[in-house]
């Protein structure tokens, strides 16, 4: 029983990491129609910046969090402005290839600026073990689940009640017509990139705190993208759910069946679900009507 | 009926909208508008008629600054609002200056509720104005108030057109442009939409640019009529004069091809049938 609970809890924590990055994929796709395959790498770089800030401030968690979040937004806005926006009129395949190219550059850039060795983040509060009724988890694991819950609540409120959030949905539905209402689509797209950067940056940094910081962190992006598909590409909240489903399934399969099947389990679920629901669990089916 | 609001003779005020010798191309190659000049005086209803492919929607895209999205460009001439060349003014600035478009095919945000669609129309308005404007729209279309929580994509065609018009009104336009508002709608619904448009002009003095293939009905509420064919204005004049000239009108609406010219009555019935089927 305790073993099951441990598997569920750590599956939930890693699922929350996937979920946050999956939400990042989804919000950029929703606002721009683009898949940013450098999302995992951007989260990784934010984690490295957090590491550098933590080292420089003797592990001050507040300075580290604030500095990393500010960095993630500025970095994403720069990428969007310098690389993504100039390509807005190019074919979608070329634009997606650009993000794949960025991903490779970010990966090797990380190893150049920092190194290829695993590091401890040096944030005592985050890596301390907490006893949750017999199950011992790290502070950062709790942190990432809380971060996912906050992100989901914030996104639900944003898309339902905020005028800017409704405008983002309008842009997703028909950007040319949204412009006719006076929406500045570039502004909406920048906001999506910024929000995505914060979510995947928090995911990357908390993952690094709970487990370890290394250049293999980029693979979180690869694991999270299927969660986005599972939730429905344009469903930001559905993506969070997809991440949790994949995280928990991986852990259960790895724990009870065989560690070798762990990596495959998530993908098996995805294929099964997509065969029944091609738009994902929560994706919006296009309503076509006169 | 609508009173024609004629401009003070010799007044220095420029028309609200003036299109001067506009030539519009797509992809630097496809010539969609060859040479068009037209004028929409403040407070008037102007109908721009012409068959499919004449270049009507292209003109409206130029007016709203959305041509570039389709690789289109005003290559020659100018589009003037209050006598001022719009040039490359971005769409949000044009909307802020009082131009609203009800686009061809309505283009609702299908997954959003009726209320969210309408709210989107007031995107540039402050929160305080928004409530007042929404109340006005629901006043004009009480049916939308009942349906405010419903997903717009599941409304009937007529209700969708009401949302599209209501959404455009949220920007408090001085110039309301409508691109084929009768397309695909039952005649009874078309009558309602037209009555609303006429009322907006008569009661609120809103200037209307009405683009239609459905010539007869548009001419009934218009002060001035322009007929377009192959990217050119081929005929224009006061609506009463044009109404009396069925033959010419029929000819220029594109039913002149070959020997099988139908009588106007036949054509009209044919169109009706098609509309009911769609
Ligand atoms: N995005 C586009 N790219 C290239 N050609 C276009 C585009 N849109 C319209 N056209 C062409 O421009 C001409 C005028 O089209 P349009 O303005 O839509 O006519 P109308 O609204 O009068 O039916 C047509 O020949 C059409 O094929
Ligand atoms: Mg058209």
């Amino acid at each position: 029983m305790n073993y099951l609970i441990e598997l569920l809890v750590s599956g939930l924590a890693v699922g929350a990491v996937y979920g946050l990055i999956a939400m990042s994929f989804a919000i950029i796709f929703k606002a721009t129609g683009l898949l940013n395959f450098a999302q995992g790498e951007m989260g990784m770089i934010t984690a490295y910046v957090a590491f550098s800030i933590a080292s420089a401030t003797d592990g001050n968690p507040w300075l580290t969090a604030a500095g990393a979040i500010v960095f993630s937004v500025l970095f994403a806005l720069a990428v969007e402005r310098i690389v993504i926006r100039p390509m807005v009129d190019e074919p979608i395949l070329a634009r997606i290839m650009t993000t794949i190219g960025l991903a490779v550059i970010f990966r090797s850039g990380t190893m150049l600026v920092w190194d290829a060795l695993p590091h401890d983040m040096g944030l005592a509060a985050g890596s301390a073990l907490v006893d949750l009724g017999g199950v011992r988890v790290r502070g950062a694991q709790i942190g990432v689940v809380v971060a996912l819950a906050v992100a989901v609540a914030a996104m639900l409120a944003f898309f339902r009640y905020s005028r800017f959030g409704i405008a983002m949905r309008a842009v997703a539905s028909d950007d040319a017509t949204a412009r006719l209402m006076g929406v500045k689509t570039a502004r909406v797209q920048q906001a999506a990139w910024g929000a995505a950067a914060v979510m995947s940056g928090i995911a990357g940094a908390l993952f690094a705190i709970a487990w370890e910081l290394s250049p293999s962190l980029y693979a979180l992006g690869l694991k999270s993208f299927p969660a986005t598909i599972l939730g429905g590409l344009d469903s930001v909240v559905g993506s969070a759910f997809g991440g949790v489903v994949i995280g928990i399934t991986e852990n259960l399969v790895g724990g009870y069946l065989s560690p070798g099947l762990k990596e495959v389990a998530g993908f098996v679920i995805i294929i099964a679900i997509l065969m029944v629901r091609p738009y994902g669990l929560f994706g919006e089916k296009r309503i076509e009507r006169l | 009926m609508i009173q024609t609001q004629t401009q003070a003779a010799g007044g220095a005020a420029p028309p609200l909208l003036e299109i001067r010798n506009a030539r519009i191309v797509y992809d630097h190659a496809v010539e969609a508008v060859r040479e068009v000049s037209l004028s929409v005086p403040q407070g008037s209803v102007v109908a721009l008629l012409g068959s499919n492919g004449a270049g009507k929607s292209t003109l409206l895209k130029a007016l709203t600054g959305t041509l570039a999205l389709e690789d289109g460009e005003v290559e020659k001439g100018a589009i003037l609002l209050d006598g001022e060349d719009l040039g490359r003014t971005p769409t949000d600035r044009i909307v802020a200056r009082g131009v609203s478009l009800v686009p061809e095919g309505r283009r609702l945000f299908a997954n959003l509720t009726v209320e969210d669609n309408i709210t989107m129309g007031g995107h540039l308005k402050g929160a305080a104005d928004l409530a007042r404007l929404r109340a006005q729209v629901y006043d004009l279309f009480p049916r939308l108030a009942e349906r405010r929580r419903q997903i717009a994509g599941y409304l009937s065609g007529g209700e969708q057109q009401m949302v599209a018009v209501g959404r455009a009104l949220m920007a408090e336009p001085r110039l309301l442009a409508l691109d084929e508002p009768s397309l695909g709608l039952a005649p009874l619904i078309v009558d309602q939409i037209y009555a609303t448009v006429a009322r907006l002009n008569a009661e609120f003095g809103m200037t209307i640019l009405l683009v239609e293939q459905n010539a007869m009905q548009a001419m009934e509420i218009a002060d001035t009529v322009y007929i377009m064919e192959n990217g050119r204005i081929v005929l224009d004049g006061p609506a009463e004069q044009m109404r009396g000239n069925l033959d010419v009108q029929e000819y220029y609406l594109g039913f002149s091809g070959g020997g099988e010219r139908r009588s106007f009555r036949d054509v009209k019935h044919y169109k009706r049938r098609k509309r009911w089927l769609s």
Side-chain angles (χ1 to χ4, degrees), chain A residues 65-102:
Chain A
I69 286 174
V70 169
F71 165 82
S72 71
V73 172
L74 295 179
F75 183 54
L77 292 182
V79 169
E80 195 273 341
R81 184 68 195 86
I82 296 167
V83 185
I84 305 298
R85 202 170 332 153
M87 295 205 48
V88 71
D89 290 326
E90 306 304 327
I92 186 67
L93 212 55
R95 299 171 64 209
I96 290 177
M97 282 306 298
T98 304
T99 71
I100 295 176
L102 280 176

Side-chain angles (χ1 to χ4, degrees), chain A residues 3-73:
Chain A
Y3 183 53
L4 173 65
I5 291 175
E6 262 170 34
L7 287 177
L8 285 176
V9 169
S10 67
L12 177 63
V14 80
V17 171
Y18 297 159
L20 282 165
I21 301 177
M23 289 170 82
S24 312
F25 278 113
I27 197 168
I28 288 183
F29 181 79
K30 196 175 180 89
T32 71
L34 180 69
L35 294 169
N36 173 24
F37 281 111
Q39 197 67 56
E41 283 74 5
M42 292 172 72
M44 171 176 74
I45 290 178
T46 302
Y48 269 94
V49 168
F51 166 67
S52 292
I53 298 174
S55 312
T57 61
D58 275 336
N60 183 322
W62 306 113
L63 282 178
T64 304
I69 286 174
V70 169
F71 165 82
S72 71
V73 172

Side-chain angles (χ1 to χ4, degrees), chain B residues 26-27 30 32 51-59 61 70 104 179-180:
Chain B
Y26 288 105
D27 309 314
V30 186
S51 55
N52 209 7
K56 308 180 298 296
S57 298
T58 300
L59 275 178
K61 286 176 204 160
E70 300 177 35
E104 190 172 1
D179 197 348
E180 303 204 26

